[in-house]
Amino acid sequence: METHRHSRAKNALKPALIITSTVLMAECIGVRYTNSLALHADSGHMLTDVAALSLSLAASWFATRRATPQKTFGFHRVEILAALLNGLILVLIALYIFYQAYGRLLNPPEVHAGWMLVVACIGLLANILSAWLLFGEHRHSLNIRGAMFHIVSDAVGSAGAIVASLAILLGGYYIADPAISVLVGILILSSSWVLIRDAVDILLEGTPSHVNIVSLQNEMRRIDGVESVHDLHVWTLTSGVLAMSCHVVISNGQLS
């Protein structure tokens, strides 16, 4: 079951990585010509999309390795570490956008809005296609969810660049470029918080939200022959894989 899940994840990540890498090269060329911060932020974010997808793909492969005497639970947590790293990278991207936007809000430079619109549209279409490839798998893997958060956030950035380019073309509002970038940065921060929170909760071995420890303990005590249940722990190894340990005292005085 786990091997099949990781195989599906890799099959979704590979084409998404190819699409994103191809469009990244086009956006890098567009940034040099347009002088747009919104497009610069979008291309920078797309660069981290490539890194995030590569990291997620490597983590999916690594998680299929068998357990060893030193790693008795296997390498499932590699996926969670990848998700946490993706979340932290998203935070850094948002802070960089805020830093760049500050100066441009005070003195908005001219940008080539026409080419900015073309490149942003290409980026948005690529993000939509990549998100479609990963859709569904993100519900079963926090690792895939981290990669998808990158792509969705980047899609928002591309949409923001489109809006900014239209504002410049139709009304000459050059301040729209850094203003839209700030809004995109805020959205990136919100998505990164969710990802970091979920990854940290798993790494701290918190009880899954859908498991009621008290009810589980009571149900175990109702089993014939069980006198008491101690040290009950339920935690998540990786997305969709739970583990449990406890001490159970049975009626004949033996422990199991």
Side-chain angles (χ1 to χ4, degrees), residues 146-230:
M148 189 165 179
F149 273 176
H150 268 274
I151 291 173
V152 171
S153 297
D154 196 26
V156 173
S158 296
I162 291 173
V163 172
S165 63
L166 290 174
I168 296 170
L169 285 171
L170 299 177
Y173 301 112
Y174 288 102
I175 198 172
D177 183 46
I180 290 293
S181 299
V182 172
L183 294 177
V184 171
I186 293 172
L187 290 174
I188 292 174
L189 274 182
S190 64
S191 63
S192 64
W193 162 248
V194 174
L195 187 61
I196 292 172
R197 180 198 64 195
D198 291 347
V200 169
D201 188 57
I202 291 177
L203 292 174
L204 292 178
E205 300 187 342
T207 303
S209 58
H210 65 281
V211 176
N212 188 318
I213 284 288
V214 176
S215 297
L216 177 60
Q217 193 169 34
N218 290 336
E219 288 297 322
M220 293 180 67
R221 286 170 177 166
R222 292 192 183 99
I223 298 175
D224 291 338
V226 173
E227 291 190 353
S228 63
V229 178
H230 304 285

Side-chain angles (χ1 to χ4, degrees), residues 18-236:
I18 293 172
I19 293 169
T20 305
S21 300
T22 302
V23 176
L24 171 63
M25 291 186 287
E27 283 209 345
C28 287
I29 296 173
V31 167
R32 292 181 63 87
Y33 180 74
T34 62
N35 193 36
S36 166
L37 177 60
L39 201 58
H40 182 71
D42 189 42
S43 63
H45 195 184
M46 188 161 283
L47 175 61
T48 65
D49 288 349
V50 173
L53 289 167
S54 301
L55 181 63
S56 296
L57 185 61
S60 294
W61 171 82
F62 209 79
T64 60
R65 295 183 61 184
R66 294 185 178 182
T68 67
Q70 291 75 33
K71 301 288 188 299
T72 56
F73 277 119
F75 296 84
H76 295 295
R77 285 288 173 86
V78 174
E79 287 190 296
I80 306 305
L81 290 173
L84 178 61
L85 183 56
N86 277 333
L88 294 175
I89 290 173
L90 283 170
V91 172
L92 294 177
I93 291 170
L95 294 177
Y96 174 75
I97 292 173
F98 294 150
Y99 172 75
Q100 290 291 328
Y102 175 73
R104 293 200 176 205
L105 283 170
L106 298 177
N107 187 24
E110 291 189 9
V111 297
H112 297 283
W115 280 106
M116 175 183 170
L117 178 61
V118 172
V119 176
C121 287
I122 294 173
L124 179 60
L125 291 175
N127 288 321
I128 291 174
L129 181 56
S130 296
W132 177 77
L133 290 169
L134 297 181
F135 185 77
E137 295 302 319
H138 75 287
R139 291 176 293 185
H140 308 296
S141 170
L142 189 63
N143 177 37
I144 300 296
R145 195 186 312 168
M148 189 165 179
F149 273 176
H150 268 274
I151 291 173
V152 171
S153 297
D154 196 26
V156 173
S158 296
I162 291 173
V163 172
S165 63
L166 290 174
I168 296 170
L169 285 171
L170 299 177
Y173 301 112
Y174 288 102
I175 198 172
D177 183 46
I180 290 293
S181 299
V182 172
L183 294 177
V184 171
I186 293 172
L187 290 174
I188 292 174
L189 274 182
S190 64
S191 63
S192 64
W193 162 248
V194 174
L195 187 61
I196 292 172
R197 180 198 64 195
D198 291 347
V200 169
D201 188 57
I202 291 177
L203 292 174
L204 292 178
E205 300 187 342
T207 303
S209 58
H210 65 281
V211 176
N212 188 318
I213 284 288
V214 176
S215 297
L216 177 60
Q217 193 169 34
N218 290 336
E219 288 297 322
M220 293 180 67
R221 286 170 177 166
R222 292 192 183 99
I223 298 175
D224 291 338
V226 173
E227 291 190 353
S228 63
V229 178
H230 304 285
D231 299 321
L232 175 60
H233 303 282
V234 180
W235 68 98
T236 304

